[in-house]
Coordinates of all heavy atoms in Angstrom, one line a residue:
M1 N 139.9 54.2 67.0 CA 140.5 55.1 67.8 C 141.9 54.6 68.3 O 142.0 53.4 68.7 CB 139.8 55.3 69.1 CG 140.5 56.2 70.2 SD 139.5 56.6 71.7 CE 139.1 55.1 72.4
K2 N 143.0 55.3 68.0 CA 144.4 54.9 68.4 C 144.6 55.4 69.9 O 144.4 56.5 70.3 CB 145.3 55.8 67.5 CG 146.8 55.6 67.9 CD 147.5 54.5 67.1 CE 149.0 54.6 67.3 NZ 149.4 53.4 68.0
I3 N 145.0 54.3 70.7 CA 145.3 54.6 72.1 C 146.9 54.5 72.2 O 147.5 53.6 71.8 CB 144.6 53.6 73.0 CG1 143.1 53.8 72.8 CG2 145.2 53.8 74.4 CD1 142.3 52.8 73.7
Y4 N 147.5 55.6 72.6 CA 148.8 55.7 72.8 C 149.3 55.1 74.1 O 148.5 54.9 75.0 CB 149.3 57.2 72.7 CG 148.9 57.8 71.4 CD1 147.8 58.4 71.3 CD2 149.8 57.6 70.4 CE1 147.4 59.0 70.0 CE2 149.5 58.2 69.1 CZ 148.3 58.9 69.0 OH 147.9 59.5 67.8
D5 N 150.6 54.8 74.2 CA 151.0 54.2 75.5 C 152.1 55.2 76.1 O 152.6 56.0 75.4 CB 151.6 52.8 75.3 CG 152.9 52.7 74.5 OD1 153.7 53.6 74.5 OD2 153.0 51.7 73.8
Y6 N 152.3 55.1 77.4 CA 153.2 55.9 78.1 C 154.3 54.8 78.6 O 154.0 54.0 79.6 CB 152.6 56.7 79.2 CG 153.5 57.5 80.0 CD1 154.0 58.8 79.4 CD2 154.0 57.1 81.1 CE1 154.9 59.4 80.1 CE2 154.8 57.9 82.0 CZ 155.3 59.2 81.3 OH 156.2 60.0 82.0
S7 N 155.5 54.8 78.2 CA 156.5 54.0 78.7 C 156.2 52.6 78.6 O 156.5 51.8 79.4 CB 157.0 54.3 80.1 OG 157.5 55.7 80.2
G8 N 155.4 52.1 77.5 CA 155.1 50.8 77.2 C 153.8 50.3 78.1 O 153.5 49.2 77.9
R9 N 153.0 51.3 78.6 CA 151.9 50.9 79.3 C 150.8 51.7 78.7 O 150.9 52.8 78.3 CB 152.1 51.2 80.8 CG 153.2 50.3 81.5 CD 153.4 50.8 82.9 NE 152.2 50.4 83.7 CZ 152.1 49.4 84.5 NH1 152.9 48.6 84.6 NH2 151.0 49.3 85.2
A10 N 149.6 51.2 79.0 CA 148.3 51.8 78.4 C 147.8 52.7 79.4 O 146.8 53.6 79.2 CB 147.3 50.7 78.1
N11 N 148.3 52.8 80.7 CA 147.9 53.7 81.7 C 149.0 53.9 82.7 O 150.0 53.1 82.8 CB 146.6 53.2 82.4 CG 146.9 52.0 83.3 OD1 147.6 52.1 84.4 ND2 146.3 50.8 82.9
I12 N 148.9 55.0 83.5 CA 149.8 55.3 84.5 C 149.4 55.0 86.0 O 150.1 55.2 86.9 CB 150.4 56.7 84.4 CG1 149.4 57.7 84.7 CG2 151.1 56.9 83.1 CD1 149.8 59.1 84.8
S13 N 148.2 54.6 86.1 CA 147.5 54.5 87.4 C 147.3 53.0 87.8 O 147.0 52.8 89.0 CB 146.1 55.2 87.3 OG 145.4 54.4 86.4
G14 N 147.6 52.0 87.0 CA 147.4 50.6 87.4 C 148.3 50.2 88.6 O 147.6 49.4 89.5
D15 N 149.4 50.6 88.8 CA 150.2 50.2 89.9 C 149.5 50.8 91.2 O 149.5 50.1 92.2 CB 151.6 50.8 89.8 CG 152.5 50.1 88.7 OD1 152.1 48.9 88.4 OD2 153.4 50.6 88.3
R16 N 149.1 52.1 91.2 CA 148.5 52.7 92.3 C 147.2 52.0 92.6 O 146.7 51.9 93.8 CB 148.3 54.2 92.1 CG 149.6 55.0 92.1 CD 150.3 55.1 93.5 NE 151.6 55.7 93.6 CZ 151.8 56.9 93.8 NH1 150.9 57.8 94.0 NH2 153.1 57.4 93.9
I17 N 146.3 51.7 91.5 CA 145.1 51.0 91.8 C 145.4 49.7 92.5 O 144.7 49.4 93.5 CB 144.3 50.8 90.5 CG1 143.8 52.2 90.0 CG2 143.1 49.9 90.7 CD1 143.3 52.1 88.6
H18 N 146.2 49.0 92.0 CA 146.7 47.7 92.7 C 147.1 48.0 94.2 O 146.7 47.1 95.1 CB 147.8 47.0 92.0 CG 148.3 45.7 92.5 ND1 147.7 44.6 92.4 CD2 149.4 45.5 93.3 CE1 148.3 43.6 93.1 NE2 149.4 44.2 93.6
Q19 N 148.0 48.8 94.3 CA 148.5 49.1 95.6 C 147.3 49.5 96.6 O 147.2 49.0 97.7 CB 149.4 50.4 95.6 CG 150.1 50.7 96.8 CD 151.1 51.8 96.8 OE1 151.4 52.1 95.7 NE2 151.6 52.4 97.9
A20 N 146.3 50.4 96.2 CA 145.2 50.8 97.0 C 144.3 49.5 97.4 O 143.7 49.4 98.5 CB 144.5 51.9 96.6
R21 N 144.1 48.8 96.3 CA 143.2 47.7 96.4 C 143.8 46.6 97.4 O 143.0 46.1 98.3 CB 143.0 47.0 95.1 CG 142.1 45.7 95.1 CD 141.9 45.0 93.7 NE 143.2 44.6 93.2 CZ 143.7 43.4 93.6 NH1 143.3 42.8 94.6 NH2 144.8 43.1 93.0
T22 N 145.0 46.3 97.2 CA 145.7 45.2 98.2 C 145.8 45.8 99.6 O 145.7 45.0 100.5 CB 146.9 44.7 97.6 OG1 147.8 45.9 97.4 CG2 146.8 44.0 96.3
A23 N 146.1 47.1 99.7 CA 146.1 47.7 101.1 C 144.8 47.6 101.9 O 144.8 47.3 103.0 CB 146.6 49.1 101.0
Q24 N 143.7 47.5 101.1 CA 142.4 47.4 101.7 C 141.9 45.9 101.7 O 140.9 45.7 102.0 CB 141.4 48.3 100.9 CG 141.7 49.8 101.1 CD 140.6 50.6 100.3 OE1 139.6 50.3 100.2 NE2 141.2 51.7 99.7
R25 N 142.8 45.1 101.2 CA 142.5 43.5 101.2 C 141.2 43.3 100.4 O 140.4 42.5 100.8 CB 142.4 43.1 102.6 CG 143.8 43.1 103.4 CD 143.7 42.3 104.6 NE 144.9 42.0 105.1 CZ 145.5 42.7 106.1 NH1 144.8 43.6 106.7 NH2 146.6 42.3 106.6
L26 N 141.0 44.1 99.3 CA 140.0 43.9 98.4 C 140.4 42.9 97.2 O 141.5 43.2 96.7 CB 139.4 45.1 97.8 CG 138.8 46.2 98.7 CD1 138.6 47.5 97.9 CD2 137.8 45.7 99.4
S27 N 139.6 41.9 96.8 CA 140.0 41.1 95.6 C 139.4 41.9 94.5 O 138.8 43.0 94.5 CB 139.1 39.9 95.7 OG 137.7 40.1 95.6
Q28 N 140.0 41.5 93.2 CA 139.6 42.2 92.1 C 138.1 42.1 91.8 O 137.4 43.0 91.3 CB 140.4 41.7 90.9 CG 141.9 42.1 90.9 CD 142.6 41.3 89.8 OE1 142.3 40.3 89.3 NE2 143.8 42.1 89.5
D29 N 137.4 40.9 92.2 CA 136.1 40.8 92.0 C 135.3 41.7 92.9 O 134.2 42.3 92.5 CB 135.6 39.4 92.4 CG 136.0 38.4 91.4 OD1 135.8 38.6 90.1 OD2 136.4 37.2 91.7
V30 N 135.6 41.9 94.1 CA 135.1 42.9 95.1 C 135.1 44.3 94.6 O 134.4 45.0 94.6 CB 135.6 42.7 96.5 CG1 135.0 43.9 97.4 CG2 135.2 41.4 97.1
L31 N 136.4 44.7 94.1 CA 136.6 46.1 93.5 C 135.6 46.3 92.3 O 135.0 47.3 92.0 CB 138.0 46.3 93.1 CG 138.3 47.7 92.5 CD1 138.0 48.8 93.3 CD2 139.9 47.7 92.2
A32 N 135.6 45.2 91.5 CA 134.6 45.3 90.3 C 133.3 45.5 90.7 O 132.5 46.4 90.1 CB 134.7 44.0 89.4
A33 N 132.8 44.8 91.8 CA 131.4 45.0 92.3 C 131.2 46.4 92.8 O 130.1 47.0 92.5 CB 131.1 44.0 93.3
K34 N 132.2 46.9 93.5 CA 132.0 48.2 94.0 C 132.0 49.3 92.9 O 131.2 50.3 93.0 CB 133.2 48.5 95.0 CG 133.1 47.9 96.3 CD 134.3 48.2 97.2 CE 134.3 47.5 98.5 NZ 133.5 48.4 99.5
M35 N 132.8 49.0 91.9 CA 132.8 50.0 90.7 C 131.4 50.0 90.0 O 130.9 50.9 89.6 CB 133.9 49.6 89.7 CG 135.3 49.7 90.1 SD 135.8 51.5 90.3 CE 136.0 51.8 88.6
Q36 N 130.8 48.8 90.0 CA 129.5 48.6 89.3 C 128.3 49.3 90.0 O 127.5 49.8 89.5 CB 129.1 47.1 89.1 CG 130.0 46.5 88.0 CD 129.8 45.0 88.0 OE1 128.9 44.4 88.7 NE2 130.5 44.5 87.1
V37 N 128.5 49.5 91.3 CA 127.6 50.3 92.1 C 127.5 51.7 91.6 O 126.4 52.4 91.7 CB 127.9 50.3 93.7 CG1 127.0 51.3 94.5 CG2 127.7 48.8 94.3
Y38 N 128.6 52.2 91.2 CA 128.7 53.5 90.7 C 128.5 53.7 89.2 O 128.8 54.7 88.5 CB 130.1 54.2 91.1 CG 130.1 54.6 92.5 CD1 130.7 53.7 93.3 CD2 129.5 55.7 93.0 CE1 130.8 54.0 94.7 CE2 129.7 56.0 94.3 CZ 130.3 55.2 95.2 OH 130.4 55.5 96.6
G39 N 128.1 52.6 88.6 CA 127.7 52.5 87.2 C 128.8 52.2 86.3 O 128.7 52.4 84.9
V40 N 130.0 51.8 86.6 CA 131.2 51.4 85.8 C 131.2 50.0 85.8 O 131.5 49.3 86.7 CB 132.4 52.1 86.4 CG1 133.6 51.6 85.5 CG2 132.4 53.6 86.4
G41 N 130.9 49.5 84.7 CA 130.8 47.9 84.5 C 132.2 47.3 84.1 O 132.4 47.0 82.8
L42 N 132.9 47.1 85.0 CA 134.2 46.5 84.8 C 134.2 45.2 85.5 O 133.7 45.0 86.6 CB 135.3 47.2 85.4 CG 135.6 48.6 84.9 CD1 136.8 49.2 85.7 CD2 136.2 48.4 83.4
G43 N 134.7 44.1 84.9 CA 134.9 42.7 85.5 C 136.3 42.5 86.1 O 137.1 43.5 85.9
R44 N 136.5 41.5 86.7 CA 137.8 41.1 87.3 C 138.8 41.2 86.3 O 140.0 41.6 86.5 CB 137.7 39.7 87.9 CG 139.0 39.5 88.8 CD 139.3 38.0 88.8 NE 139.6 37.4 87.6 CZ 140.6 37.4 86.8 NH1 141.6 38.1 87.1 NH2 140.7 36.8 85.6
E45 N 138.6 40.5 85.1 CA 139.7 40.7 84.0 C 140.1 42.0 83.6 O 141.3 42.2 83.4 CB 139.2 39.8 82.9 CG 140.2 39.8 81.7 CD 141.4 39.0 82.0 OE1 141.4 38.0 82.8 OE2 142.5 39.3 81.4
A46 N 139.2 42.8 83.5 CA 139.4 44.2 83.2 C 140.3 45.0 84.2 O 141.3 45.6 83.8 CB 138.2 45.1 82.9
I47 N 140.0 44.7 85.5 CA 140.8 45.3 86.6 C 142.1 44.7 86.5 O 143.2 45.4 86.8 CB 140.0 45.1 87.9 CG1 138.8 46.0 87.9 CG2 141.0 45.4 89.0 CD1 137.9 45.9 89.1
S48 N 142.3 43.5 86.3 CA 143.5 42.8 86.2 C 144.4 43.5 85.1 O 145.5 43.8 85.2 CB 143.4 41.3 86.0 OG 144.7 40.8 85.7
R49 N 143.7 43.7 83.9 CA 144.6 44.3 82.8 C 144.9 45.7 83.1 O 145.9 46.3 82.6 CB 143.7 44.2 81.6 CG 143.5 42.8 81.1 CD 142.9 42.5 79.8 NE 143.7 43.3 78.7 CZ 143.3 44.0 77.7 NH1 141.9 44.4 77.6 NH2 144.0 44.5 76.8
I50 N 144.0 46.5 83.7 CA 144.3 47.8 84.1 C 145.5 47.8 85.1 O 146.4 48.7 85.0 CB 143.1 48.5 84.9 CG1 142.1 48.8 83.9 CG2 143.6 49.7 85.6 CD1 140.7 49.2 84.3
E51 N 145.5 47.0 86.1 CA 146.5 46.9 87.2 C 148.0 46.6 86.5 O 149.0 47.0 86.9 CB 146.2 46.0 88.2 CG 145.1 46.5 89.1 CD 144.8 45.5 90.3 OE1 145.3 44.4 90.4 OE2 144.1 45.9 91.2
T52 N 147.9 45.8 85.5 CA 149.1 45.4 84.8 C 149.5 46.4 83.7 O 150.6 46.4 83.0 CB 149.1 44.0 84.1 OG1 148.0 44.0 83.2 CG2 148.9 43.0 85.3
G53 N 148.7 47.4 83.4 CA 149.1 48.5 82.4 C 148.8 48.0 81.0 O 149.1 48.7 80.1
D54 N 147.9 47.0 80.9 CA 147.6 46.6 79.5 C 146.3 47.1 79.0 O 146.0 46.9 77.9 CB 147.5 45.0 79.6 CG 148.7 44.3 79.8 OD1 149.8 44.8 79.4 OD2 148.5 43.2 80.4
R55 N 145.5 47.8 79.9 CA 144.3 48.3 79.5 C 144.2 49.8 79.8 O 144.7 50.2 80.8 CB 143.1 47.7 80.1 CG 141.8 48.1 79.8 CD 140.7 47.5 80.6 NE 139.3 48.1 80.3 CZ 138.8 49.2 80.8 NH1 139.5 50.0 81.5 NH2 137.6 49.5 80.4
F56 N 143.7 50.7 78.8 CA 143.5 52.0 79.0 C 142.5 52.3 80.1 O 141.5 51.6 80.2 CB 143.0 52.6 77.5 CG 142.8 54.0 77.6 CD1 143.8 54.9 77.4 CD2 141.5 54.6 77.6 CE1 143.6 56.3 77.4 CE2 141.3 55.9 77.6 CZ 142.4 56.7 77.5
V57 N 142.6 53.4 80.8 CA 141.6 53.8 81.8 C 140.9 55.1 81.4 O 141.8 56.1 81.2 CB 142.3 53.9 83.2 CG1 141.2 54.3 84.2 CG2 143.0 52.6 83.6
T58 N 139.7 55.2 81.3 CA 139.1 56.4 80.9 C 139.0 57.4 82.1 O 139.3 57.0 83.2 CB 137.6 56.2 80.4 OG1 136.9 55.6 81.5 CG2 137.6 55.2 79.2
D59 N 138.7 58.6 81.9 CA 138.7 59.6 83.0 C 137.5 59.3 84.0 O 137.7 59.4 85.1 CB 138.6 61.0 82.4 CG 137.4 61.3 81.4 OD1 136.7 60.2 81.2 OD2 137.2 62.4 81.0
Y60 N 136.4 58.9 83.5 CA 135.4 58.6 84.5 C 135.6 57.3 85.2 O 135.3 57.2 86.5 CB 133.9 58.5 83.7 CG 133.9 57.3 82.8 CD1 133.3 56.1 83.3 CD2 134.0 57.5 81.4 CE1 133.2 55.0 82.4 CE2 133.8 56.4 80.6 CZ 133.5 55.2 81.0 OH 133.3 54.2 80.2
E61 N 136.3 56.4 84.6 CA 136.8 55.1 85.5 C 137.7 55.6 86.4 O 137.6 55.0 87.7 CB 137.4 54.2 84.4 CG 136.3 53.4 83.5 CD 137.0 52.6 82.5 OE1 138.2 52.8 82.3 OE2 136.3 51.7 82.0
L62 N 138.6 56.3 86.1 CA 139.7 56.9 87.0 C 139.0 57.6 88.3 O 139.3 57.3 89.4 CB 140.7 57.7 86.4 CG 142.0 57.9 87.1 CD1 142.7 56.6 87.4 CD2 142.9 58.9 86.4
A63 N 138.0 58.4 88.0 CA 137.3 59.1 89.1 C 136.7 58.2 89.9 O 136.7 58.5 91.3 CB 136.4 60.1 88.5
I64 N 136.0 57.1 89.4 CA 135.3 56.3 90.3 C 136.2 55.3 91.1 O 135.9 55.0 92.2 CB 134.3 55.4 89.5 CG1 133.3 56.3 88.8 CG2 133.6 54.3 90.3 CD1 132.4 57.2 89.8
F65 N 137.4 54.9 90.4 CA 138.5 54.2 91.2 C 138.8 55.0 92.4 O 139.0 54.5 93.5 CB 139.7 53.9 90.3 CG 139.7 52.6 89.5 CD1 139.6 52.7 88.1 CD2 139.5 51.4 90.1 CE1 139.6 51.4 87.4 CE2 139.5 50.3 89.3 CZ 139.5 50.3 88.0
A66 N 139.1 56.2 92.2 CA 139.5 57.2 93.3 C 138.5 57.2 94.4 O 138.7 56.9 95.6 CB 139.8 58.6 92.8
R67 N 137.2 57.3 94.0 CA 136.0 57.4 95.1 C 136.0 56.0 95.7 O 135.8 56.0 97.1 CB 134.8 57.7 94.2 CG 133.5 57.8 95.3 CD 132.3 58.1 94.6 NE 132.4 59.5 94.1 CZ 131.6 60.0 93.2 NH1 130.5 59.3 92.8 NH2 131.6 61.2 92.8
V68 N 136.0 54.9 95.1 CA 135.8 53.5 95.6 C 137.0 53.3 96.6 O 136.8 52.7 97.6 CB 135.6 52.6 94.5 CG1 135.6 51.2 95.1 CG2 134.1 52.8 93.9
L69 N 138.1 53.6 96.2 CA 139.4 53.4 96.9 C 139.7 54.3 98.0 O 140.6 54.1 98.8 CB 140.6 53.1 96.0 CG 140.4 51.8 95.0 CD1 141.5 51.9 93.9 CD2 140.5 50.5 95.8
G70 N 139.0 55.5 97.9 CA 139.2 56.5 99.0 C 140.5 57.1 98.9 O 141.2 57.5 99.8
V71 N 141.0 57.4 97.7 CA 142.2 58.1 97.3 C 141.9 59.1 96.4 O 140.9 59.3 95.8 CB 143.3 57.2 96.8 CG1 143.7 56.0 97.8 CG2 142.8 56.5 95.5
S72 N 142.9 60.1 96.2 CA 142.8 61.2 95.3 C 143.1 60.8 93.9 O 143.9 60.0 93.7 CB 143.5 62.4 95.7 OG 144.9 62.2 95.6
L73 N 142.6 61.6 92.9 CA 143.0 61.4 91.5 C 144.6 61.7 91.4 O 145.2 61.0 90.6 CB 142.3 62.4 90.6 CG 140.9 61.9 90.4 CD1 140.0 63.0 89.7 CD2 140.7 60.6 89.6
V74 N 145.1 62.7 92.0 CA 146.5 63.1 92.0 C 147.3 61.9 92.5 O 148.2 61.4 91.8 CB 146.8 64.3 92.8 CG1 148.2 64.6 93.0 CG2 146.1 65.5 92.3
W75 N 146.9 61.1 93.6 CA 147.6 60.0 94.1 C 147.6 58.9 93.0 O 148.6 58.3 92.7 CB 147.2 59.7 95.4 CG 148.0 58.5 96.0 CD1 149.2 58.6 96.8 CD2 147.7 57.1 95.8 NE1 149.7 57.4 97.0 CE2 148.8 56.4 96.5 CE3 146.8 56.4 95.2 CZ2 148.8 54.9 96.6 CZ3 146.8 54.9 95.3 CH2 147.9 54.3 96.0
L76 N 146.4 58.6 92.4 CA 146.3 57.6 91.4 C 147.1 57.7 90.3 O 147.8 56.8 89.7 CB 144.8 57.4 90.9 CG 144.0 56.6 91.8 CD1 142.5 56.5 91.3 CD2 144.5 55.2 92.2
T77 N 147.3 59.0 89.9 CA 148.2 59.2 88.7 C 149.6 59.3 89.0 O 150.5 59.2 88.1 CB 147.8 60.5 87.9 OG1 147.8 61.6 88.8 CG2 146.2 60.4 87.2
G78 N 149.9 59.6 90.2 CA 151.4 59.5 90.8 C 152.1 60.6 90.2 O 151.7 61.5 89.4
D79 N 153.4 60.5 90.5 CA 154.5 61.4 90.0 C 155.1 60.9 88.6 O 155.7 59.9 88.7 CB 155.6 61.6 91.1 CG 156.5 62.7 90.6 OD1 156.5 63.2 89.5 OD2 157.5 63.0 91.5
L80 N 154.7 61.6 87.5 CA 155.3 61.0 86.3 C 156.7 60.9 86.2 O 157.2 60.0 85.5 CB 154.6 61.9 85.2 CG 153.2 61.8 84.9 CD1 152.7 62.7 83.8 CD2 152.8 60.4 84.6
E81 N 157.4 61.8 86.8 CA 158.8 61.7 86.8 C 159.4 60.5 87.5 O 160.5 60.0 86.9 CB 159.5 62.9 87.5 CG 159.2 64.3 86.9 CD 159.8 65.4 87.6 OE1 160.6 65.2 88.5 OE2 159.5 66.5 87.3
Q82 N 158.7 59.7 88.4 CA 159.1 58.5 88.9 C 158.9 57.4 88.0 O 159.5 56.3 88.1 CB 158.5 58.3 90.3 CG 158.9 59.2 91.4 CD 158.1 58.9 92.6 OE1 157.2 58.2 92.7 NE2 158.3 59.9 93.6
K83 N 158.0 57.5 87.0 CA 157.5 56.4 86.2 C 158.6 56.3 85.0 O 158.5 55.2 84.4 CB 156.2 56.6 85.6 CG 155.2 56.9 86.6 CD 154.5 55.5 86.9 CE 153.3 55.7 87.9 NZ 152.9 54.4 88.5
E84 N 159.3 57.2 84.8 CA 160.3 57.3 83.5 C 161.5 56.4 83.8 O 161.9 56.1 84.7 CB 160.6 58.7 83.2 CG 159.5 59.4 82.6 CD 159.8 60.9 82.3 OE1 160.9 61.3 82.3 OE2 158.8 61.6 82.0

C-alpha cells in the first residue's frame, strides 16, 4: 500500500497529539497504555513517530487519540491552511 504524505509529513495530527499530551503532562508510555485500554496497540516509539509526522495515523487510531486526550477530531486535524 502506498502512503502519501502531506507537506512532507505522514500525518497532520502529530503536532496536536503532542500538544494535547504534554498539556496533560502525560508521557508517551502513559498515552500508549491509555490507547491500549481502547484496543489500539501502540507503543512509545509509534507515538513518537506519529508526533514527529513520520508515521501514518489510521482513522480508528485518530478517533481513540481524540477520546483518550479529551479533544475533538476536528481539533486534532487542525486547520489545513495553517499547515501549508
